Amino acid sequence: MDGPDDSDPGLAGLSPEFQAMLGGLSGHTAAFAQMLEKRTKASKEVEKEKDDEVYLESYADLAIHEEMLKDTERVKAYRTAIEHFGPTWAEATVVDVGAGTGLLSVFISRAGARKVVAIEASRLSHFLKKVVEENSCSVEVHECLAEDLSLPEKVDAIVSEWMGYCLLFENMLPSVLAVRDQYLKPGGLMLPSKCRLLLAPIQDDHWRQQKVDFWHRVQGIDMSPLMPLATASFCGIPQHHVIDPEKILAPGTCIFEADLHSVQLADLEAFERWLSVCVPSDRRLDGFVAWFECDFAGAATLSTAPSAAATHWKQTAFYLRQPIGGGVEVKGSVSFQKHPSFSRGYQVSFDLQAPGRKARSEGYELR
């Protein structure tokens, strides 16, 4: 048996032949690790291409554009901002990133811009060209990804409706930033210019009764064995619907904000904010609701808050699998992280704790 004072001689205690063999294995291991890294990188690039194809194909569906064009709050905010800055664009080049059916491009042209560049990567670009022609607008249509845009000159302003559910879902903002970084003149204008994502605690009796408690007893039949499945199915994914302002327990907290003139890709990768919620003794915490607000350089604002007029974005609710009873202060954090396998999504996590209650972590996928 080795004594307490014995020391390990390490490789020096091994024969030269065995040391050489270990050195060779180390080299093979390093080479194998490099090969795996290359394959992983290539696999992620392929996955992103597939995500992009599905995303662009979805925007070739006219139903999505119908919903957006019928969103009067969305259209009003953009039209107000464009008409406000239009008189200053007589000598300007303005880019519309993700032009879709061409509504904003036509607005920009009619507002007085010298040159309008419309970028649309989906199959809808074919119809976009016809729309601008029918409306006698001077719009230069580029059927390409924003990242592949090629222009001979810098531009004065960039307009884009890039926001998705919970602001960042769909991950279109990087495409807008790619155009900004390559073509926007110093001091150029971004519309919208600023945005922020807010979060508030909610108690939603109606939703929980309809989606979870419903399964306790159905038509006189005990279906309670299905309640865990209902909880996992409906509380495990974000819910996009309109939230009654009366369900909100406290004012919204800003968990993310960005100035579109300066925000960087790294800022979109991940972010985390601390939370503190005082739940009244006669209420309970069912989850959290998220919404966003955009400012158009002081010319207009767009809010998707529960207290504002409804938009097609609605709000995004994150329901806890088990509510937290009232009379406590709940503390913790919320974090957003780019999805590891779906390039246009995010993983959202809540870590919560309250006095006398078991700490919990709740995870969701925006995808």
Side-chain angles (χ1 to χ4, degrees):
M1 180 181 290
D2 293 336
D5 295 331
D6 291 335
S7 59
D8 183 0
L11 289 177
L14 302 175
S15 68
E17 294 81 4
F18 196 66
Q19 291 184 42
M21 184 184 73
L22 288 179
L25 286 175
S26 176
H28 285 301
T29 301
F32 185 64
Q34 290 177 356
M35 181 186 69
L36 285 178
E37 183 179 358
K38 289 180 180 179
R39 287 186 177 180
T40 301
K41 183 178 180 180
S43 177
K44 287 184 177 180
E45 290 174 352
V46 170
E47 288 175 354
K48 184 181 184 305
E49 289 179 0
K50 290 181 179 179
D51 293 341
D52 290 345
E53 288 176 6
V54 172
Y55 172 73
L56 294 174
E57 188 63 26
S58 72
Y59 272 87
D61 184 348
L62 203 58
I64 292 179
H65 295 276
E66 178 185 353
E67 183 181 36
M68 292 189 293
L69 295 177
K70 288 180 177 178
D71 185 338
T72 56
E73 295 302 309
R74 166 189 178 270
V75 173
K76 181 173 68 174
Y78 276 89
R79 187 168 196 165
T80 299
I82 289 169
E83 291 179 348
H84 175 84
F85 289 103
T88 69
W89 289 341
E91 300 299 325
T93 298
V94 182
V95 177
D96 178 7
V97 181
T101 57
L103 182 76
L104 300 186
S105 295
V106 173
F107 282 170
I108 296 166
S109 178
R110 289 181 173 178
R114 176 184 66 86
K115 181 179 180 180
V116 183
V117 176
I119 309 170
E120 178 55 44
S122 79
R123 291 184 290 109
L124 209 62
S125 60
H126 168 76
F127 298 96
L128 167 59
K129 294 175 183 178
K130 293 184 178 296
V131 168
V132 297
E133 288 173 3
E134 286 294 326
N135 287 274
S136 302
C137 293
S138 178
V139 177
E140 183 178 290
V141 178
H142 289 249
E143 185 179 354
C144 66
L145 294 172
E147 292 82 352
D148 297 332
L149 178 66
S150 178
L151 295 177
E153 59 183 354
K154 297 289 186 178
V155 304
D156 302 276
I158 296 174
V159 179
S160 180
E161 197 275 77
W162 52 266
M163 299 85 74
Y165 290 123
C166 207
L167 184 65
L168 297 173
F169 176 63
E170 292 184 352
N171 199 32
M172 182 182 164
L173 183 53
S175 297
V176 179
L177 300 186
V179 178
R180 180 201 67 183
D181 293 344
Q182 188 169 2
Y183 292 110
L184 188 65
K185 292 178 181 177
L189 178 66
M190 298 287 292
L191 293 178
S193 55
K194 293 181 180 179
C195 61
R196 62 180 191 150
L197 179 63
L198 298 101
L199 190 76
I202 57 172
Q203 176 177 333
D204 196 338
D205 297 319
H206 178 74
W207 185 90
R208 193 167 291 276
Q209 289 168 359
Q210 291 293 312
K211 292 296 184 181
V212 180
D213 297 342
F214 164 80
W215 293 99
H216 180 70
R217 197 168 189 83
V218 181
Q219 298 293 325
I221 299 173
D222 185 348
M223 291 194 176
S224 58
L226 289 170
M227 290 186 69
L229 178 59
T231 299
S233 299
F234 300 119
C235 298
I237 59 175
Q239 303 289 328
H240 305 296
H241 56 203
V242 174
I243 295 291
D244 185 338
E246 295 297 321
K247 298 175 180 178
I248 295 179
L249 300 176
T253 298
C254 181
I255 60 173
F256 173 82
E257 57 185 333
D259 183 329
L260 276 297
H261 296 88
S262 58
V263 66
Q264 300 298 313
L265 289 178
D267 301 325
L268 309 178
E269 288 293 322
F271 54 90
E272 182 177 15
R273 291 293 182 274
W274 293 106
L275 299 174
S276 178
V277 178
C278 290
V279 185
S281 58
D282 60 341
R283 306 294 295 273
R284 72 164 188 264
L285 179 63
D286 273 325
F288 295 86
V289 59
W291 68 89
F292 65 86
E293 299 173 344
C294 293
D295 176 65
F296 291 76
T301 57
L302 173 63
S303 174
T304 65
S307 58
T311 70
H312 78 282
W313 288 286
K314 306 179 179 68
Q315 290 90 41
T316 300
F318 302 91
Y319 290 100
L320 303 178
R321 289 159 178 80
Q322 290 296 326
I324 297 177
V328 296
E329 181 179 11
V330 179
K331 293 185 177 182
S333 64
V334 57
S335 63
F336 278 62
Q337 176 78 42
K338 285 287 293 296
H339 200 285
S341 60
F342 178 58
S343 63
R344 293 188 175 273
Y346 279 82
Q347 290 180 325
V348 183
S349 299
F350 290 86
D351 291 306
L352 306 171
Q353 56 185 7
R357 314 290 175 89
K358 184 179 179 181
R360 63 173 70 181
S361 294
E362 305 260 0
Y364 309 84
E365 292 195 344
L366 275 169
R367 59 171 304 160

